[in-house]
Amino acid sequence: MKQTAFLTKLLVFLLLISGSSAFAAAKTEVKELVCEYQVNPMGIDVHKPRLSWQMASAEANILQTAYEIKVTDQSAKGKQIWTSGKVNSDKSVNVAYDGPALKSMQRVYWQVRVWDNQNKVTVWSAPAWWEMGILEPETWKASWITLGSEKEFVGSKPSQYFRKDFTNAKKVQSARVYVTSLGLYQLFLNGKKVSTDLFTPGWTSYKNRVQYQTYDVTSMIQQKNSIGAMVGDGWYRGNIGWGNQNGYYGSKVALLAQLQLTYTDGTTETIGTDNSWKAANGPILSSDIYNGETYDARLEMPGWSTSGFDDSKWEKATVADHSKKILVAPQGAVVKAIEEIKPIKLITTPKGEIVFDMGQNMVGWIRLKVQGKKGDQVTLKFAEVLTKEGNFYTDNLRSAKCTDVYILKGEGEEVFEPHFTFHGFRFVQIEGPSVQPTLNQITGVVIHSDMKPTGSFACSDPMINQLQHNIQWGQKGNFLDVPTDCPQRDERLGWTGDAQVFSMTAAFNFDVAPFYTKWMRDVAADQLPNGRVPHVIPDVLKGDGGSTAWADASIIVPWTTYLVYGDQRILEVQYPSMKAWIDYMKNRAGDDLLWTSDSHFGDWLAFATTRSDYPGATTEKDLIATAYYAYSSGLLGKIAGIIGNAADAKKYTELSENIKKAFVKEFVTPAGRLVSHTQTAYSLALAFDLLPADLVPKAAAFLAEDVKKMGHLTTGFVGTPLLCKTLSAHGYDDLAFMLLNRKQYPSWLYPVTQGATTIWERWDGQKPDGSFQDVGMNSFNHYAYGAIGEWLYRHVAGLDMDAEMPGYKHILLAPHPGGSLTHANAEFKSLYGKIKSGWKLEGNDFVYEVTVPANTTATITLPAANADQVLVNAQPLQASMKENLKHSDKGISLNVGSGSYTFRYPMK
């Protein structure tokens, strides 16, 4: 009702001002068509895929009032499969296909046209398409195959090679290959890789879900052909989890590939993996995610994936027994090589080590160019930092060897890149080359999930800009198919707590909707029958889990996805998992609604030192557990209402309110003081709305008092994401900016002063004297503390979403100048188009530039403004705008439609 009333009033307002001569008329068009967040996706298994589009117009105040979608079997003048007809709706994001059920491997084309609030209809959009994958297990005709003669031993094993020749006598209309593996694969056709995708099929809950990929190889088919694949250990069989455990999911790697040929005469042919394929080992002697790759170029087999190769010494592949019922099409963002970095310096350390400095802590590998004799060995080792003496440092990698070895074949310049491993590093040590290394000998290849960049933040302080850089690089390095905690040591696991606290910041920086959709399916798949959520997803810790704030990712990450992308389906799909987690907490808490009986991580790595010059704090874990129990129960109540489950909405909302009462009774004094008198405790109580109204200002004052007394933050993984936004929400912006601007340890900018290029795991990973924290846990690429990025976007720059109208259908724009900043700018590419919120101080004037995309509206709050002195686009506020003004102690607020606006006024 609130949304409908708001839109009605705003539409009337927009109609009044849409004829303003300040805006030139222009044609509206429909563009940026996406299906399930992807452009022309191939091989999906979503039966009712969702379609989204954008409106492009130079006119202001443009809203969609109706749409029509048509789906055909060909791109031009095809047979119509379905039409929505004219639907009176402003919805242009995640509109579900509602036509006849589609078949496996079927491609369809779609177009859309829209009507706007000026009663004009657009032309049909350019066609887009989507193509279904294999929807039924029985459609898989291929068999799993493996190398039957592989020797059994503990440790990384040689990668397996597979191949098959085939001829093609007819003219091919289309060719698709559907492929997956137990382990990681690279697929070749006629000597060329079929895709630039990396680390396929991806990391999932392999016992429940194995992804397959679909590739269009029509242009690669010849008369005589050869298809080949390499399969390495990967997450499936390689070292993973605690203690470098090998073969967690299985002891045998395997390949499954099905090539589907459709000829112009209407006939089809299927070529699938079976025992007619050949198998062998090759030059990849070992390739392990933790330990690196050893590659012997002397064992290369030139032309092994081309027709006519002599495979007489290869053995017949062995058919493996593995289910095809667990095969699913991918929904996430595939890993790719995204960019390349050249080293900035070549160092000889005091110990005599030859080390390249890449200038950036990155994730990926090195492309090596080398010349030498046959049998010469070049070894590459990887590190994040150097010691204070300037020597190569790998102690914090623990048992991970992080070493690539290349054995030369001795044939001129040779180029090597590993295949099934990655490293987290800034520094590269090289050993064994016969010539003095040069800077052009190596190139850093940066890999991560291929997420579309969506957000940017910049301000007048270079150190804060470096912080933003570090946040984004920390996300890139750790969003490698799953949201890992770190990319370098013998861990690299999908820790749920890290992902939870960082989820909103992540969604500002990149389009993470597909990434989270895929990962949340694995959360549900690995969740235990009693509702307990494992600490890491995919679960390789054998069910260890149930820690509050960590397991709450099962609710908070889908909720974030809903807020940012308006994605209701993720709430519907994940609802059983969410409900199971709340019911688990309910069972563990007991009748008093206090969760005090279990082990939790608490405010992990909080600043809790006892040094007199740096006082710290420890927050009671029972308080944190009960706070999250109340908060997540309340979220579940909201979610139940959104998806139409009124009974559960009432049940879990009431549960949340009752937990809040129990929380106050147990942990809060009548004066508003918490039993854990810490920044984290007060931030949780205030941010999660756990306190009665009369205690809120008192608790906020206690929080502010503690920040003033300490002079720095004392929070860990749980409290840090909430601290600044809680201070700001309760009128203590000055303290929030003080914490942001602090450069001494502990602070966000302290690592920047130490030369950090990513976010650290600990506030003092590297101490002021150059020494390091505990080697047992000291990552220099760990994104959790980067959650401050959310506050930079939403508060400092003032770019925010409205939970009542999610997905940026209605935008909240409210900048907050503060600290010593003279300007700040944020931009975000929403599903509707680009949003901008940028402010600057020019003398006594406050200048605020905003962009609101078509088919959205915005409420703009101008801080310390007098309406009579405000200019918009160099003109005084129109009377129609003034009629909608709201005044508050924060300034004035007004509602606007789409367009670009520049506000200028002297601040009070």
Side-chain angles (χ1 to χ4, degrees):
M1 293 296 294
K2 175 183 175 182
Q3 177 176 335
T4 303
F6 173 85
L7 282 175
T8 301
K9 292 180 181 178
L10 185 59
L11 181 58
V12 171
F13 166 67
L14 295 181
L15 288 172
L16 287 172
I17 67 173
S18 60
S20 169
S21 60
F23 303 101
K27 184 179 180 182
T28 300
E29 62 177 336
V30 178
K31 62 173 189 175
E32 304 294 333
L33 275 64
V34 295
C35 172
E36 290 297 319
Y37 301 106
Q38 301 177 59
V39 176
N40 299 335
M42 176 172 290
I44 66 174
D45 60 4
V46 179
H47 292 269
K48 290 183 177 292
R50 295 161 301 169
L51 312 174
S52 303
W53 57 88
Q54 294 181 14
M55 297 171 66
S57 177
E59 293 187 19
N61 310 310
I62 293 297
L63 289 172
Q64 174 186 298
T65 59
Y67 69 81
E68 182 179 8
I69 301 169
K70 65 178 178 181
V71 177
T72 59
D73 63 354
Q74 296 181 24
S75 61
K77 299 181 180 179
K79 179 182 177 182
Q80 184 168 287
I81 296 173
W82 173 72
T83 177
S84 67
K86 183 179 179 181
V87 179
N88 293 319
S89 170
D90 65 347
K91 188 172 184 179
S92 60
V93 168
N94 290 325
V95 178
Y97 166 76
D98 198 27
L102 301 177
K103 301 175 182 178
S104 287
M105 310 179 191
Q106 182 178 359
R107 175 180 287 196
V108 297
Y109 296 82
W110 67 287
Q111 294 173 271
V112 62
R113 62 177 177 173
V114 304
W115 286 258
D116 64 23
N117 52 323
Q118 298 179 11
N119 202 30
K120 296 178 181 178
V121 60
T122 68
V123 298
W124 286 100
S125 68
W129 54 264
W130 78 85
E131 185 170 311
M132 305 305 289
I134 293 179
L135 305 180
E136 313 87 10
E138 55 270 22
T139 305
W140 284 99
K141 306 303 180 185
S143 301
W144 291 98
I145 58 172
T146 189
L147 178 66
S149 65
E150 183 178 64
K151 297 179 181 179
E152 291 291 335
F153 60 89
V154 177
S156 300
K157 298 176 176 62
S159 297
Q160 298 181 9
Y161 287 66
F162 302 92
R163 69 178 311 278
K164 180 180 176 64
D165 288 342
F166 65 96
T167 57
N168 169 54
K170 298 181 180 181
K171 187 175 181 180
V172 174
Q173 178 176 305
S174 68
R176 302 286 185 271
V177 62
Y178 306 88
V179 56
T180 186
S181 62
L182 306 178
L184 300 176
Y185 75 84
Q186 291 186 7
L187 187 69
F188 298 79
L189 185 59
N190 295 324
K192 297 180 180 179
K193 285 184 65 175
V194 302
S195 170
T196 57
D197 295 352
L198 300 171
F199 290 86
T200 48
W203 189 10
T204 54
S205 173
Y206 287 136
K207 296 176 183 178
N208 301 290
R209 293 165 19 93
V210 175
Q211 296 181 136
Y212 67 88
Q213 283 72 38
T214 304
Y215 299 112
D216 182 351
V217 293
T218 307
S219 63
M220 302 178 73
I221 297 295
Q222 305 170 2
Q223 186 174 359
K224 293 183 178 181
N225 302 275
S226 182
I227 185 171
M230 301 183 298
V231 180
D233 289 349
W235 296 287
Y236 185 85
R237 188 173 71 171
N239 293 298
I240 199 71
W242 301 138
N244 257 349
Q245 59 185 355
N246 187 266
Y248 181 82
Y249 293 102
S251 60
K252 292 283 187 181
V253 298
L255 174 71
L256 180 72
Q258 183 163 311
L259 177 62
Q260 203 73 27
L261 299 171
T262 301
Y263 298 109
T264 55
D265 64 4
T267 60
T268 62
E269 183 179 2
T270 300
I271 299 169
T273 45
D274 56 23
N275 61 7
S276 69
W277 286 52
K278 291 294 193 73
N281 291 130
I284 304 176
L285 303 184
S286 65
S287 193
D288 183 82
I289 287 174
Y290 288 171
N291 296 325
E293 180 167 308
T294 298
Y295 185 95
D296 190 343
R298 297 170 301 178
L299 302 178
E300 287 180 344
M301 304 166 288
W304 70 272
S305 62
T306 59
S307 178
F309 173 79
D310 181 7
D311 59 11
S312 59
K313 294 183 180 180
W314 291 38
E315 67 181 69
K316 278 192 173 184
T318 299
V319 173
D321 182 18
H322 200 82
S323 176
K324 300 173 196 169
K325 293 181 179 179
I326 61 173
L327 296 177
V328 296
Q331 287 187 282
V334 71
V335 177
K336 287 184 179 288
I338 304 297
E339 59 186 293
E340 297 185 353
I341 295 177
K342 298 298 293 185
I344 63 171
K345 191 185 301 182
L346 187 58
I347 303 167
T348 300
T349 72
K351 288 185 177 181
E353 304 150 323
I354 300 175
V355 176
F356 293 95
D357 179 1
M358 304 305 296
Q360 171 65 50
N361 197 3
M362 57 169 281
V363 174
W365 56 68
I366 287 298
R367 180 187 305 122
L368 171 70
K369 294 182 179 179
V370 64
Q371 292 186 4
K373 299 177 182 178
K374 184 177 182 179
D376 281 355
Q377 179 173 300
V378 178
T379 300
L380 300 174
K381 298 181 180 180
F382 301 86
E384 294 184 289
V385 291
L386 302 178
T387 68
K388 62 181 179 180
E389 295 82 14
N391 294 313
F392 201 67
Y393 179 79
T394 59
D395 289 354
N396 68 320
L397 304 181
R398 302 191 303 215
S399 66
K401 295 179 182 177
C402 303
T403 301
D404 291 341
V405 176
Y406 179 73
I407 302 171
L408 280 70
K409 57 189 172 186
E411 299 177 5
E413 184 177 80
E414 302 177 37
V415 180
F416 166 69
E417 294 184 56
H419 301 80
F420 302 120
T421 189
F422 64 89
H423 309 286
F425 63 98
R426 173 173 173 169
F427 299 97
V428 184
Q429 180 183 354
I430 187 168
E431 298 176 335
S434 56
V435 294
Q436 181 69 24
T438 59
L439 283 176
N440 64 4
Q441 188 174 16
I442 69 169
T443 301
V445 180
V446 177
I447 70 168
H448 57 79
S449 289
D450 189 18
M451 307 167 293
K452 181 176 70 174
T454 51
S456 63
F457 173 87
C459 68
S460 56
D461 189 326
M463 294 191 73
I464 296 174
N465 292 338
Q466 182 65 43
L467 172 64
Q468 169 68 4
H469 169 97
N470 295 359
I471 292 169
Q472 291 186 319
W473 273 86
Q475 180 175 351
K476 289 192 289 188
N478 282 291
F479 275 43
L480 199 155
D481 206 55
V482 302
T484 60
D485 58 327
C486 60
Q488 74 296 89
R489 67 187 181 213
D490 56 350
E491 194 166 352
R492 315 186 199 189
L493 305 178
W495 282 95
T496 50
D498 304 52
Q500 184 266 117
V501 300
F502 189 73
S503 59
M504 185 60 77
T505 299
F508 272 110
N509 289 332
F510 293 91
D511 177 3
V512 291
F515 183 90
Y516 281 151
T517 298
K518 176 256 185 186
W519 189 63
M520 292 313 298
R521 296 293 178 92
D522 291 307
V523 170
D526 277 341
Q527 191 170 11
L528 276 65
N530 65 358
R532 185 172 68 190
V533 177
H535 297 322
V536 301
I537 301 294
D539 176 30
V540 293
L541 302 184
K542 302 178 181 178
D544 285 351
S547 175
T548 189
W550 274 248
D552 292 280
S554 61
I555 291 179
I556 294 172
V557 172
W559 178 247
T560 298
T561 307
Y562 168 74
L563 290 178
V564 177
Y565 306 102
D567 191 330
Q568 184 171 319
R569 184 173 288 177
I570 196 171
L571 302 182
E572 296 165 346
V573 171
Q574 297 299 132
Y575 190 75
S577 170
M578 300 184 211
K579 186 173 178 179
W581 168 240
I582 298 298
D583 290 346
Y584 173 85
M585 287 195 283
K586 184 178 180 181
N587 291 333
R588 301 305 300 171
D591 294 338
D592 64 359
L593 301 179
L594 300 171
W595 194 1
T596 60
S597 59
D598 293 319
S599 174
H600 302 279
F601 291 116
D603 194 22
W604 188 250
L605 293 182
F607 185 80
T609 181
T610 56
R611 284 171 49 185
S612 59
D613 55 339
Y614 287 114
T618 300
T619 305
E620 187 178 342
K621 292 180 180 180
D622 293 347
L623 182 151
I624 296 173
T626 304
Y628 264 96
Y629 179 25
Y631 178 65
S632 289
S633 296
L635 278 186
L636 186 64
K638 290 181 182 179
I639 290 166
I642 291 167
I643 66 175
N645 190 331
D648 275 4
K650 181 175 183 294
K651 173 183 174 181
Y652 290 105
T653 300
E654 290 178 352
L655 174 62
S656 178
E657 291 304 313
N658 289 331
I659 301 168
K660 291 178 184 180
K661 293 175 183 177
F663 178 91
V664 172
K665 182 179 179 181
E666 181 74 9
F667 299 114
V668 188
T669 72
R673 183 183 176 97
L674 273 66
V675 295
S676 287
H677 190 63
T678 66
Q679 295 171 17
T680 290
Y682 287 108
S683 295
L684 284 168
L686 292 164
F688 288 0
D689 191 25
L690 304 181
L691 305 176
D694 63 313
L695 294 184
V696 168
K698 297 177 181 179
F702 279 125
L703 171 62
E705 178 188 346
D706 189 78
V707 172
K708 289 178 184 176
K709 180 181 72 173
M710 296 293 189
H712 59 77
L713 51 77
T714 62
T715 51
F717 279 27
V718 170
T720 297
L722 305 175
L723 181 56
C724 281
K725 65 182 180 182
T726 302
L727 287 167
S728 294
H730 294 278
Y732 298 100
D733 233 15
D734 57 332
L735 294 177
F737 275 100
M738 180 274 289
L739 293 176
L740 173 68
N741 289 320
R742 178 182 167 88
K743 298 176 178 62
Q744 298 79 24
Y745 159 73
S747 68
W748 286 285
L749 295 185
Y750 167 72
V752 175
T753 70
Q754 299 297 299
T757 60
T758 45
I759 299 297
W760 293 355
E761 180 176 21
R762 293 177 177 269
W763 294 118
D764 60 343
Q766 179 175 301
K767 299 177 183 180
D769 65 359
S771 62
F772 299 125
Q773 253 284 1
D774 178 13
V775 297
M777 191 168 58
N778 196 25
S779 163
F780 291 94
N781 193 349
H782 221 93
Y783 58 74
Y785 284 144
I788 185 63
E790 174 188 350
W791 182 75
L792 296 177
Y793 280 106
R794 298 177 82 171
H795 188 79
V796 178
L799 196 162
D800 204 356
M801 75 288 297
D802 182 350
E804 296 294 326
M805 302 173 67
Y808 295 95
K809 178 62 174 168
H810 181 63
I811 306 159
L812 304 178
L813 298 169
H816 292 86
S820 58
L821 298 182
T822 58
H823 67 80
N825 182 77
E827 295 186 5
F828 180 75
K829 296 176 183 176
S830 75
L831 289 172
Y832 295 95
K834 186 180 83 169
I835 304 167
K836 177 181 178 178
S837 178
W839 61 266
K840 58 185 174 180
L841 302 177
E842 289 188 352
N844 294 325
D845 282 357
F846 183 77
V847 181
Y848 185 37
E849 297 180 350
V850 303
T851 300
V852 180
N855 202 30
T856 71
T857 57
T859 297
I860 298 175
T861 299
L862 302 175
N866 183 324
D868 293 332
Q869 296 179 308
V870 174
L871 300 178
V872 55
N873 295 342
Q875 299 293 324
L877 285 179
Q878 299 174 22
S880 55
M881 282 189 173
K882 287 187 176 182
E883 290 175 2
N884 288 273
L885 287 180
K886 292 183 179 180
H887 297 264
S888 70
D889 57 355
K890 296 180 180 179
I892 61 173
S893 298
L894 65 157
N895 298 321
V896 301
S898 63
S900 294
Y901 306 88
T902 299
F903 296 89
R904 176 185 287 270
Y905 60 91
M907 295 187 75
K908 289 192 284 187

